[in-house]
Amino acid sequence: MKIRTRITTLAACLVTAAATFTGVAQASPEVTLKLAHVQPETHAFHKGSVKFAETLKEVSGGKMEVQIFPNGVMGNERDLLEALQIGSLDLVTVTSALTSKFSTNYQVFSLPFLFDSYEDAFRVMDDPEIRGSLGEKLIGKGIRPVAYWIGGARSYYGRSEVENLPDFQGKKVRTMEDPYYLATWKSLGAIPTPLPFGEVYSALQTGLVDGAEGAINTYVSKKFYESAPHVAMVNYVYSIQPLHIAESRWKKLSEQQREWVKQAADASSTFERQIILDEDRKMNDTLASHGVQVTRPDIGPLREAVAPVYEKFRKEFGDEAYSLVEQIRKD
């Protein structure tokens, strides 16, 4: 009797073990994707990456997983795109300004006052026709955009108060080294001064520059308010942040796997944008808590002043490229 009981128990254990083993085997990933970005784990881009990874694992039933490499451990943004092209990375998220170095269509997002609000930017980013137009040339370079995140609205912060257009006259303003950012600040009467991002704090602290342009959530996280306690909310650029997949990897995926990637990309986009919106709604209180003085200059005169920047774009890229501007601006 005891022998029979032991045999029965052993058989049950073997069945359980086999079931467990089978479950593990079924859950083992068939595809592992490598995703890299340059921001810390506290940033919205990392949180969006995590959401992408979690969703992809969920919708694929564990058949696809993502390894995330944050903090620029895989290189700067240009390094990431080049790695994507040769297939040593599967997914990266980088600025539209950097993406434009690989497909000039993306330069349109560097134009000043192109969008009136986050909602306006989202409308354009989700328009299938516009996304198709943007992605076509990029795919030919081995880079396929699968989602569009947002990095925040770029404004001005400086050592002294700015209330209107004349207040920008003669101010040395640190900008990204983007030709349309430089042209914008020149049109506003400032002296655009490109500097590496890592030098912004000391440049403000020493007075090398009078101010800088950038996303205000980054201004807070980097404590730029310690040397530049004045913010002029102009929201002149809404920073578009595409999530790209290597075309070489995309071609290797089955139709089902591609559908899972699309689902994960859509979920990450909704999630990441909401983080930025939530941060933006709290921004007035956040700035006040740090003693920051906020002004809101009249945007009308600023829009008029930067009209030459649009003419520059039209002359450089032609009427066909400019038609994208008109498409974006239509109601």
Side-chain angles (χ1 to χ4, degrees):
M1 192 70 178
K2 289 182 179 179
I3 293 174
R4 187 178 300 172
T5 301
R6 287 174 183 170
I7 291 174
T8 302
T9 303
L10 178 59
C13 289
L14 289 172
V15 170
T16 301
T20 302
F21 179 79
T22 302
V24 171
Q26 289 175 345
S28 296
E30 298 172 357
V31 175
T32 299
L33 304 176
K34 292 181 289 186
L35 189 162
H37 62 81
V38 301
Q39 296 294 346
E41 288 89 340
T42 55
H43 199 279
F45 297 160
H46 182 74
K47 294 175 184 177
S49 300
V50 171
K51 183 65 174 179
F52 177 86
E54 291 175 345
T55 305
L56 186 58
K57 184 175 183 178
E58 179 183 352
V59 298
S60 70
K63 293 179 180 179
M64 299 183 76
E65 71 172 14
V66 180
Q67 295 177 346
I68 303 172
F69 301 89
N71 291 305
V73 295
M74 292 295 190
N76 61 36
E77 288 196 331
R78 189 176 188 92
D79 295 332
L80 298 187
L81 276 180
E82 290 175 350
L84 198 74
Q85 285 183 304
I86 63 175
S88 57
L89 283 173
D90 300 302
L91 292 142
V92 303
T93 181
V94 300
T95 62
S96 59
L98 194 281
T99 300
S100 72
K101 305 299 181 186
F102 295 78
S103 177
T104 55
N105 284 359
Y106 282 83
Q107 192 73 70
V108 71
F109 293 126
S110 295
L111 291 173
F113 306 109
L114 183 66
F115 301 120
D116 295 324
S117 64
Y118 280 108
E119 290 70 26
D120 191 27
F122 297 160
R123 172 186 61 80
V124 170
M125 292 155 65
D126 293 335
D127 186 302
E129 186 176 348
I130 291 175
R131 287 176 65 152
S133 176
L134 286 168
E136 186 176 356
K137 289 184 179 179
L138 198 60
I139 290 170
K141 299 288 182 66
I143 302 168
R144 175 180 288 268
V146 291
Y148 285 86
W149 298 351
I150 195 84
R154 303 181 77 89
S155 285
Y156 172 84
Y157 46 90
R159 293 159 58 89
S160 60
E161 187 175 80
V162 167
E163 292 186 334
N164 48 47
L165 177 60
D167 290 339
F168 285 119
Q169 191 68 37
K171 277 188 166 49
K172 293 181 69 176
V173 179
R174 183 271 171 182
T175 71
M176 287 178 59
E177 197 164 358
D178 178 290
Y180 289 91
Y181 284 20
L182 297 173
T184 292
W185 288 96
K186 186 175 181 181
S187 294
L188 293 175
I191 303 170
T193 308
L195 287 173
F197 185 70
E199 297 178 17
V200 175
Y201 187 94
S202 61
L204 290 167
Q205 188 177 48
T206 61
L208 178 63
V209 295
D210 299 302
E213 60 78 34
I216 302 304
N217 53 356
T218 301
Y219 161 84
V220 172
S221 66
K222 293 296 183 180
K223 299 184 179 180
F224 291 153
Y225 51 77
E226 293 178 346
S227 300
H230 298 275
V231 166
M233 288 290 192
V234 293
N235 294 345
Y236 84 105
V237 166
Y238 286 82
S239 297
I240 309 302
Q241 184 85 7
L243 174 66
H244 300 301
I245 190 170
E247 182 64 9
S248 58
R249 167 61 84 173
W250 182 259
K251 288 179 177 178
K252 294 176 183 177
L253 298 179
S254 68
E255 287 300 320
Q256 179 62 79
Q257 290 169 338
R258 291 177 183 179
E259 183 58 34
W260 289 333
V261 168
K262 290 177 183 177
Q263 290 178 42
D266 289 345
S268 73
S269 179
T270 301
F271 184 79
E272 189 277 340
R273 293 180 193 179
Q274 191 59 52
I275 291 173
I276 296 298
L277 289 174
D278 290 344
E279 288 180 352
D280 194 67
R281 291 190 186 101
K282 299 173 184 174
M283 192 55 66
N284 286 337
D285 291 340
T286 301
L287 293 175
S289 71
H290 294 296
V292 177
Q293 302 298 309
V294 179
T295 57
R296 300 182 184 278
D298 183 1
I299 300 301
L302 275 64
R303 284 184 183 275
E304 293 177 12
V306 300
V309 181
Y310 281 81
E311 289 305 311
K312 168 182 167 66
F313 182 89
R314 192 166 201 159
K315 288 178 182 178
E316 184 170 357
F317 297 111
D319 289 340
E320 183 178 350
Y322 196 78
S323 66
L324 181 58
V325 176
E326 296 171 332
Q327 187 178 6
I328 288 172
R329 285 180 151 182
K330 73 179 181 180
D331 293 332

